[in-house]
C-alpha cells in the first residue's frame, strides 16, 4: 500500500469537500477545509516528501465562472512537481496533451469515457490514442444503488448504468495504466471506509488501484490494508492534519 496525496481544487481554492455534496448549481459544495495555500504549495510539499502519483482534481465545470481560477491553481501544482502528479476533472482529447505538457504524469478520465450512462468505446479509444495508455488513469468512482456500486460521472452527480465488477476491471485494464476509485458516499466524511467495495477491488491484481473515501484514522488505514489485502494504494484528504484533520501527514508519507 502506498499513500497517494491529493490536491482538490474548487472555485479557485484548494479544498476538502464532502464528495456527495458537489453541485453545479452556483458551484456549491459542503466544505470541510479551505486552504490559504495554493496548489504549488502542496505540490512542493509532496515533492519534498518523495510522494509520487498524487491526484490534482478540478471540481468545476468548464463553463463555470470559477473554472479558469481552478485550472490556474492546477497548472501551478503541475509545474511545481513535474511528472509527480496526475490530473483529472473534465479531461478529454482536446485538453489532455496540454496537461501532460504542463507536467502531469497521467490524465484521469471519467465522464468522457462513460458518456450518456454507458461506456463509450469510441471515446475510450480516442483518449487512449491521444495520450497513450501509459499516461491514462480511468476513474471508476462509484456510489451504491440497489445493492451494487455504480460508476458516477459529472463530478459524481450522475449515475451510469455501469456497475463496478471484476469483469469491468479486466475489460478496461488493457486500455489504461491504473485506476482511481472514490467511494463517493463516504468521500470527505472521514467516518470509515467502504469495506465491501475494498474487498471487491482487492480481487483485481493486473493494474494499480488507488482507493479514496472515508479514511478518518490510522485504524481505517489498517482496515484498508486488511480488507484490500495490501493491494490498494490510498488517498486521504479531509482527515490529514495538513487539511484540518487529525492524521499526521508525516505518518502517511512513510507509505511510499
Amino acid at each position: 500500500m502506498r499513500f497517494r496525496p491529493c490536491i482538490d481544487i474548487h472555485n479557485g481554492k484548494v479544498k476538502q469537500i464532502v464528495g456527495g455534496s458537489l453541485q453545479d448549481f452556483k458551484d456549491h459544495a459542503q466544505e470541510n477545509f479551505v486552504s490559504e495555500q495554493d496548489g504549488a504549495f502542496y505540490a512542493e510539499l509532496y515533492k519534498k516528501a518523495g510522494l509520487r502519483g498524487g491526484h490534482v482534481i478540478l471540481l468545476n465545470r468548464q463553463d463555470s465562472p470559477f473554472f479558469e481560477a481552478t485550472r490556474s491553481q492546477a497548472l501551478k501544482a503541475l509545474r511545481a512537481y513535474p511528472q509527480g502528479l496526475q490530473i483529472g476533472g473534465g479531461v478529454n482529447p482536446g485538453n489532455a496533451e496540454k496537461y501532460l505538457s504542463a507536467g502531469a504524469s497521467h490524465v484521469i478520465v471519467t465522464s468522457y469515457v462513460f458518456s450518456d450512462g454507458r461506456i463509450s468505446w469510441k471515446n475510450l479509444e480516442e483518449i487512449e490514442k491521444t495520450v497513450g495508455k501509459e499516461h491514462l488513469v480511468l476513474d471508476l468512482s462509484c456510489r451504491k444503488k440497489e445493492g451494487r456500486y455504480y460508476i458516477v460521472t459529472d463530478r459524481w452527480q450522475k449515475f451510469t448504468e455501469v456497475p463496478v465488477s471484476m469483469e469491468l476491471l479486466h475489460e478496461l485494464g488493457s486500455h489504461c495504466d491504473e485506476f482511481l476509485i472514490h467511494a463517493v458516499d463516504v468521500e470527505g466524511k472521514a467516518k470509515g471506509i467502504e469495506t465491501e467495495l475494498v474487498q471487491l477491488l482487492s480481487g483485481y491484481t493486473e493494474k494499480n488501484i488507488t482507493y479514496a473515501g472515508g479514511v478518518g484514522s490510522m485504524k481505517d488505514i489498517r482496515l484498508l490494508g486488511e480488507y484490500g489485502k495490501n493491494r490498494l494504494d490510498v488517498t486521504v484528504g479531509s482527515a490529514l492534519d495538513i487539511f484540518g484533520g487529525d492524521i499526521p501527514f508525516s505518518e502517511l508519507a512513510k507509505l511510499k
Side-chain angles (χ1 to χ4, degrees), residues 152-181:
V152 289
T153 65
D154 299 276
R155 290 153 307 286
W156 308 326
Q157 297 172 64
K158 296 181 182 178
F159 275 93
T160 70
E161 300 172 7
V162 184
V164 177
S165 66
M166 280 297 102
E167 292 78 13
L168 180 70
L169 291 168
H170 287 301
E171 196 170 21
L172 295 178
S174 61
H175 298 277
C176 65
D177 193 44
E178 50 182 85
F179 293 103
L180 170 64
I181 302 180

Side-chain angles (χ1 to χ4, degrees), residues 140-206:
L140 308 186
S141 294
C142 54
R143 307 181 78 165
K144 202 169 188 180
K145 182 174 69 171
E146 299 174 352
R148 300 188 73 181
Y149 289 96
Y150 286 85
I151 294 170
V152 289
T153 65
D154 299 276
R155 290 153 307 286
W156 308 326
Q157 297 172 64
K158 296 181 182 178
F159 275 93
T160 70
E161 300 172 7
V162 184
V164 177
S165 66
M166 280 297 102
E167 292 78 13
L168 180 70
L169 291 168
H170 287 301
E171 196 170 21
L172 295 178
S174 61
H175 298 277
C176 65
D177 193 44
E178 50 182 85
F179 293 103
L180 170 64
I181 302 180
H182 289 81
V184 176
D185 288 328
V186 296
E187 172 69 19
K189 297 181 180 179
K191 294 182 178 179
I193 64 173
E194 287 271 19
T195 55
E196 183 181 348
L197 176 61
V198 170
Q199 282 184 307
L200 169 64
L201 299 177
S202 72
Y204 178 78
T205 60
E206 294 175 12

Side-chain angles (χ1 to χ4, degrees), residues 100-111:
L100 293 176
S101 296
S105 66
H106 295 69
V107 292
I108 305 167
V109 179
T110 309
S111 299

